[in-house]
């Protein structure tokens, strides 16, 4: 379901809407615009504030019954104490849209006081994130029990300058988030490597981008022994997917976005415990982030060149699967000892990172649900950020701040290389428990030449096993925002 967004200067005194959302900071007072709402509600707004029923805290929601004339319902949403108003508005908008969608009001009017175009963009993206759901595999309830989905929202702005542009950008980025979350939520038997390839082709067809899809035979010709070692346990054809977006002159070097696309990660022969294994359908969220970002970047028509690369397969135990102790040769020529078949993401990425060299990118940013260790280090609050170039790391961290997808840098000092030395090969694919997210990044670094490169470990941020209030459990859309802001930042 798509959300139709409009912006206008809303006159609260003459407003007729099924739902008015008021986003309020802590200790809000009733100024002239809100006084009209308060009057229409017979003073209920002032009473809620005076009695401190509503205090404007983060994620706080109070539902007031509206009036026969004017807003039929009023939802007070707290912005909380925040240093970044845009981020607070985005979150509040998600909370509001999620509620509104569940209530079945169909449309809402958002009033959060004056907003800059950047803040308006946050509100619009937040509304889209909040009402998102994946219902394809649920039988719809009987007609009389159905609630009207949220299909339209009007956002109040005082100043319309730049508003249409901000809304268009939000809609483009929202489409990217929707796509990434949809792919993430799809079960492994539906979102297969072939499905990811079909989605890439569809993006290409709709936006006129070149898409290439390689299978097992082509990977063999390219001698991608690392990627193929992961895929050798599954009958499904692995897919290396390349999408090229050309928004700048052909002489401008592209940025490369690379994504881990494990449509299911059982661990392989080093099989994972059964409890929670179903979450490993989300092991393609890096790839979903790349596809979502390509969708958004194409819609935004950014004047940049971007090459998106996805490595899609599943990690399965079988008679043909790679075994602990096996040594495989990556496309770069390096020999890798596979200590643990569950450290498969880095094997796939090793060959992808080598492959993107042919596009001579000015920068490479990869995203992968790579390590449980990153979840231990940063929880679901921040993406792990690693890189070989401090300027590029700073650029990506800043993109994370702008997109409300925070990242935090972890070091990849050479001392960590010690842990992944192999007795029999050039490198081994696990380094033991200490600094697990770092040794994984350190492994990847061996397959990147001197190109500025950043690795994003999104294991803790791309999906959530618990309800996050602003969005339900499941895929968050990370790292679509970081990718898109990074690309936008390059042409600012
Ligand atoms: N896909 C997992 C990492 C993961 C774990 C993502 C939890 C999201 C939540 C990855 O392929 C993996 O299994 N990594 C291992 C590496 C270990 C064997 C060195 C891990 O983190 O346990
Ligand atoms: Mn694994
Ligand atoms: Zn994995």
């Amino acid at each position: 379901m798509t959300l139709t967004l409009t912006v206008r200067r809303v006159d609260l005194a003459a407003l007729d809407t099924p739902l008015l959302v008021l986003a309020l900071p802590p200790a809000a007072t009733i100024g002239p615009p809100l006084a009209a709402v308060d009057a229409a509600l017979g003073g209920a707004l002032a009473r809620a504030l005076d009695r401190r029923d509503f205090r404007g805290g983060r994620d706080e929601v109070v539902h007031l019954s509206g009036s026969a004339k004017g807003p039929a319902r009023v939802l007070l949403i707290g912005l909380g104490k925040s240093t970044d108003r845009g981020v607070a508005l985005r979150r509040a908008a998600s909370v509001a849209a999620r509620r509104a969608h569940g209530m079945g009001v169909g449309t809402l009017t958002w009033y959060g006081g004056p907003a800059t175009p950047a803040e308006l963009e946050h509100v619009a993206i937040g509304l889209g994130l909040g009402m998102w759901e994946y219902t394809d595999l649920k039988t719809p309830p009987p007609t009389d029990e159905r609630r009207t989905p949220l299909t339209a929202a009007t956002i109040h702005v005082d100043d319309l300058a730049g508003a249409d542009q901000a809304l268009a950008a939000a809609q483009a980025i929202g489409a990217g988030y929707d796509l990434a979350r949809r792919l993430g939520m799809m079960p492994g038997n539906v979102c297969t490597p072939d499905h990811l390839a079909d989605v890439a082709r569809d993006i290409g067809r709709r936006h006129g981008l070149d898409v290439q899809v390689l299978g097992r035979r082509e990977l063999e010709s390219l001698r991608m022994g690392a990627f193929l070692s992961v895929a050798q346990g599954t009958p499904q054809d692995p897919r290396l997917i390349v999408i090229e977006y050309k928004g700048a002159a052909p002489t401008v070097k592209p940025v490369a976005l690379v994504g881990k696309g494990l449509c299911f990660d059982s661990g392989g022969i080093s099989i994972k415990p059964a409890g929670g294994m179903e979450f490993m359908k989300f092991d393609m969220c890096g790839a979903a982030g790349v596809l979502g970002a390509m969708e958004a970047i194409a819609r935004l028509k950014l004047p940049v060149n971007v090459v998106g690369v996805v490595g899609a397969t599943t990690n399965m135990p079988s008679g043909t699967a790679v075994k602990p102790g096996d040594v495989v040769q990556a496309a770069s020529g390096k020999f890798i000892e596979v200590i643990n078949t569950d450290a498969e993401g880095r094997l796939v990425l090793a060959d992808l990172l080598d492959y993107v060299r042919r596009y001579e990118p000015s920068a490479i940013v990869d995203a992968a649900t790579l390590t449980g260790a990153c979840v231990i280090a940063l929880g679901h609050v921040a993406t792990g950020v690693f890189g070989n170039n401090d300027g590029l790391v700073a650029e990506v961290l800043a993109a994370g701040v702008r997109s409300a997808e925070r990242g935090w840098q972890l070091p990849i000092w050479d001392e960590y290389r010690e842990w992944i030395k192999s007795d029999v090969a050039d490198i081994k694919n696990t380094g033991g428990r200490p600094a697990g997210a770092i040794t994984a990044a350190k492994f990847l670094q061996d397959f990147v030449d001197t190109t500025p490169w950043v690795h994003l470990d999104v294991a803790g941020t791309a999906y959530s096993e618990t309800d996050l209030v602003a969005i339900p459990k499941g895929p968050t859309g990370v790292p679509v925002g970081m990718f898109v802001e990074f690309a936008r930042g390059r042409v600012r």
Side-chain angles (χ1 to χ4, degrees):
M1 182 61 65
T2 47
L3 189 60
T4 308
L5 296 166
T6 38
V7 273
R8 66 184 171 85
R9 229 193 125 95
V10 171
D11 179 6
L12 291 177
L15 180 65
D16 189 13
T17 176
L19 178 70
L20 171 64
V21 177
L22 296 178
L24 298 170
T29 49
I30 300 180
L34 291 184
V37 179
D38 190 43
L41 299 182
L45 178 58
R47 283 195 298 276
L49 298 181
D50 290 346
R51 290 172 181 159
R52 310 202 70 212
D53 290 347
F54 178 83
R55 301 179 182 198
R58 181 177 183 254
D59 298 340
E60 200 181 333
V61 180
V62 167
H63 181 178
L64 302 175
S65 304
S67 51
K69 216 170 64 68
R73 301 166 191 83
V74 177
L75 210 55
L76 312 180
I77 308 276
L79 290 170
K81 285 190 215 120
S82 169
T83 45
D84 189 330
R85 185 169 144 82
V87 173
L89 285 168
R90 176 198 284 241
R91 188 175 173 95
S94 287
V95 172
R98 198 178 166 194
R99 282 290 185 110
H101 190 57
M103 285 160 71
V105 287
T107 70
L108 65 78
T109 303
W110 169 276
Y111 184 89
T116 64
E119 287 166 351
L120 170 62
E121 191 181 307
H122 275 298
V123 171
I125 291 175
L127 291 173
L129 288 172
M131 58 85 60
W132 178 85
E133 61 178 348
Y134 177 72
T135 55
D136 288 17
L137 306 177
K138 284 186 195 256
T139 306
T143 356
D144 57 333
E145 284 173 29
R146 272 180 220 171
R147 291 187 189 252
T148 314
L150 186 68
T151 52
T154 300
I155 304 171
H156 165 85
V157 288
D158 288 291
D159 181 2
L160 279 165
D164 285 338
Q165 223 185 339
L167 217 55
Q171 247 143 355
I173 295 165
Y177 272 121
D178 286 356
L179 175 63
R181 291 173 82 188
R182 176 181 166 75
L183 293 173
M185 197 59 161
M186 282 182 157
N189 61 330
V190 179
C191 184
T192 58
D194 274 331
H195 181 71
L196 291 180
D198 287 344
V199 167
R201 289 192 193 97
D202 181 57
I203 294 170
R205 198 172 329 110
R206 284 184 291 106
H207 300 293
L209 319 183
D210 288 338
V211 176
Q212 280 183 71
V213 178
L214 312 185
R216 207 182 292 272
R217 289 264 295 281
E218 290 89 352
L219 303 190
E220 278 161 7
S221 321
L222 289 162
R223 307 171 76 86
M224 292 196 171
F227 188 166
L228 281 165
S229 74
V230 178
Q232 78 188 47
T234 171
Q236 288 173 315
D237 213 2
R239 294 298 188 202
L240 192 159
I241 305 161
V242 183
I243 310 183
E244 284 178 85
Y245 170 78
K246 292 165 185 160
T251 48
V252 179
K253 287 184 174 178
V255 296
L257 305 179
V258 178
K260 169 181 173 181
L262 263 289
C263 294
F264 187 71
D265 175 15
S266 73
I269 297 297
S270 314
I271 198 161
K272 289 179 183 292
M277 205 204 269
E278 68 278 14
F279 290 116
M280 284 301 117
K281 73 171 181 180
F282 292 119
D283 212 18
M284 35 56 70
C285 283
V290 171
L291 295 175
M294 297 307 291
E295 174 73 40
I297 289 165
R299 286 182 186 235
L300 287 165
K301 299 190 169 66
L302 292 183
V304 284
N305 292 330
V306 184
V307 52
V309 179
V310 161
T313 185
T314 57
N315 185 21
M316 298 297 283
S318 84
T320 61
V322 69
K323 310 176 293 301
D326 285 0
V327 173
V328 299
Q329 190 174 24
S332 72
K334 281 203 173 140
F335 289 99
I336 304 168
E337 184 185 7
V338 178
I339 298 291
N340 189 319
T341 67
D342 197 10
E344 84 298 337
R346 66 198 76 179
L347 296 172
V348 172
L349 286 170
D351 282 340
L352 299 184
L353 292 170
D354 181 74
Y355 187 77
V356 289
R357 290 170 62 170
R358 69 187 60 207
Y359 294 95
E360 295 177 23
S362 58
I364 304 171
V365 185
D366 80 68
T369 45
L370 204 63
T371 66
C374 193
V375 190
I376 301 298
L378 300 171
H380 69 252
V381 178
T383 293
V385 179
F386 312 77
N388 63 0
N389 180 296
D390 286 340
L392 186 64
V393 168
E395 225 180 305
V396 172
L397 289 172
V401 170
R402 290 198 301 275
S403 60
E405 286 183 10
R406 266 175 304 179
W408 195 257
Q409 187 181 8
L410 294 171
I412 51 169
W413 296 314
D414 276 337
E415 284 87 336
Y416 294 107
R417 183 69 177 68
E418 288 299 314
W419 291 88
I420 47 175
K421 278 189 176 162
S422 167
D423 296 335
V424 62
D426 297 316
I427 191 168
K428 60 181 180 180
N429 79 329
T430 58
R433 282 170 62 80
I438 294 174
T439 53
K442 206 61 197 158
F443 179 95
L444 299 181
Q445 191 181 12
D446 258 41
F447 299 89
V448 180
D449 51 12
T450 52
T451 308
W453 156 78
V454 160
H455 158 59
L456 305 174
D457 194 332
V458 294
T461 48
Y463 73 94
S464 174
E465 298 178 15
T466 56
D467 191 297
L468 296 175
V469 185
I471 57 169
K473 62 184 172 195
T476 60
V478 168
V480 169
M482 217 187 235
F483 274 160
V484 174
E485 280 305 322
F486 168 68
R488 274 174 131 183
R490 290 239 141 180
V491 291
R492 214 173 272 262

